[in-house]
Amino acid sequence: MTAPTLVPYDEVVERFDPVLGLEVHVELNTQTKMFCGCPTTFGAEPNTQVCPVCLGLPGALPVVNRKAVESAIRIGLALNCTITPWGRFARKNYFYPDMPKNFQTSQYDEPIAVDGYLDVPLDDGSVVRVEIERAHMEEDTGKSLHVGGSTGRIHGAEYSLLDYNRAGVPLIEIVTKMIPGTRERAPEVARAYVTALRDLLRALGVSDVRMDQGSMRCDVNLSLSPRDSGVLGTRSETKNVNSLRSVERAVRYEMTRQAGVLLAGERVVQETRHFDESTGSTSPGRTKETAEDYRYFPEPDLVPIAPPAEWVEELRATLPELPWEHRRRIQAEWGISDAEMRDLVNAGVLELIEATVAAGAPAGEARSWWVSYLTQQANTRGVEPTGLPITPAQLARVIALVASGELNNKLARQVVDGVLAGEGEPDEVVAARGLAVVSDDSALIAAVDEALAAQPDVAEKIRGGKVAAAGAIVGAVMKATKGQADAKRVRELVIERCS
Ligand code: ZN
Ligand code: MN
């Protein structure tokens, strides 16, 4: 296979219009699976959360999880969809080792939610409306683990292992309509859509939406039309892109790759593609099946889903404040600018700050810790700020210790470092490292006198009324106490001792 010719991005945009489509699979955070009572805890020992139903053993009968239907309806409503009053599950037939029934129970032509939209905020503050075609319920498959290869893919592996813990976990698949007209912003729009959807689902409390753990997975469909022609091109479908940044990169890469194919006078192949995180490129998967290949038919073992209108209205009443409305309110409360707010959101620290404030810290303090020191720490460690081993409550405690004068800012950092290093709660770190501010005046007076004696010329100046010279003595005392003195109190004492 020859390497694809990539066309420079500017040229792609000049000659073609990208048409985007996004399919997002979200695992619901229900206690139990979609059609059986097995638990859904992530990371359990392989094949410990299984039963005859989710293993697809002959004769086992599924029962729908009410909570999953409830979440599906709430998602549909939050996406401004119509909730279908009656619909059946369908069998999507295909063989794959991680799906022991040989069909996935899904919804086909009778999805629970149809025809909605999501207003997606972009970085510059503008909003793009992305239309939603459908949101349907289905079950997740098990997981294959390919052992022995370098890539973790089946190709080159020595053998494969199967874990069915995930088989039957409730999924909602959310499919957009084609998104035209995004031009050079197509990669940004794709990323912004997935971000907005993630935030919305998180606010609904229906999923962990952890892309890194696979509880939210995105398939990126992309085709190119010759600029302003309106003629639809053939699309590729890049599967299971698992970070926001990768969504953006996958769109960009496919634009430059497909343009290369088209400009060479060839045709884009309709296929699924894999995204490679390390190179940012995509490679061909299987040639895309069509719906007919799946031989869909209504699932005879499940009753139709027919949510009564009153129930739907009850669920509508439980919808939370939308994330962007919430942000607007918080921004006003904290009195910060649009740009400052955007930085918080982009840095992924908004929720952390809110949680720190909820734990009792003033907003300004909480903000400054998360935006500067803790974001730096996260960058150094190569993790998201949410992945840092410090909780908002612990940070709030550190902030409280500073407010009460028990710590100064420098010491507070050392306490945070201790918490990050796993040394325990802030108070334990203070005790173990001996970090409390020296507030005992007699100890400070001794240090001040010593510093004055060591610098008699400076002491003379202060005695002569040159209060500005006190800085040198304060500095010496701070050094002698390893930064553990309250500098303001030291200054007061220096002046007292010289008058
Ligand atoms: Zn089960
Ligand atoms: Mn699906």
Side-chain angles (χ1 to χ4, degrees), residues 33 35-38 49-55 167:
K33 292 186 180 179
F35 302 115
C36 63
C38 290
Q49 304 184 146
V50 291
C51 75
V53 172
C54 53
L55 286 175

Side-chain angles (χ1 to χ4, degrees), residues 23 25 92 104 106 136 138-139 171 173 219:
E23 294 177 22
H25 283 89
K92 182 182 185 182
Q104 179 189 31
S106 180
H136 70 249
E138 58 186 32
E139 58 180 336
L171 284 182
E173 179 175 341
D219 301 342

